[in-house]
Amino acid sequence: MLIYLIGSLLIGVGEELYFRGIFRVAALGRHGELVALLVTSVAFGLAHTVGYLSNGVPLGATALSVAFLAMDGALFYGVLRATETLWVPMLLHGIGDLPDSWIREATRARRRRASGAGPVRLSSSTC
């Protein structure tokens, strides 16, 4: 469980650093706040498209997910503006990703059991 918490927090830190940090500042350098909000939020949603499609998620469901993720991006943008720190959206994003990590791993484990593969174990010869 700890590994999923750490992994989720690191994903939140990385994505927020890029989208609400670097990308937002670059957009604000050329455009106003509204354009920066819209561009970074939509880009955040679109950045997840490849992951959904490569995992076999239908196009319609992927489009819906992208729309919801763009709304998440706008929410994180608002939190950044309200708190004037990037750490709060990083933390919220990481905590929000945690259930997804658990669900993904539970699904993988169920598929391994159904295929008879059993749990993945590391032996001393694989290290």
Side-chain angles (χ1 to χ4, degrees), residues 8-69:
S8 293
L9 289 173
L10 289 175
I11 290 169
V13 167
E15 289 185 352
E16 291 307 309
L17 181 61
Y18 178 72
F19 287 102
R20 255 62 64 193
I22 298 166
F23 194 20
R24 181 185 72 88
V25 170
L28 284 172
R30 295 196 167 265
H31 306 284
E33 192 82 46
L34 180 60
V35 171
L37 165 68
L38 294 173
V39 167
T40 59
S41 297
V42 170
F44 177 71
L46 289 172
H48 294 82
T49 304
V50 172
Y52 283 108
L53 293 175
S54 67
N55 283 305
V57 177
L59 189 57
T62 297
L64 186 62
S65 295
V66 166
F68 277 102
L69 285 165

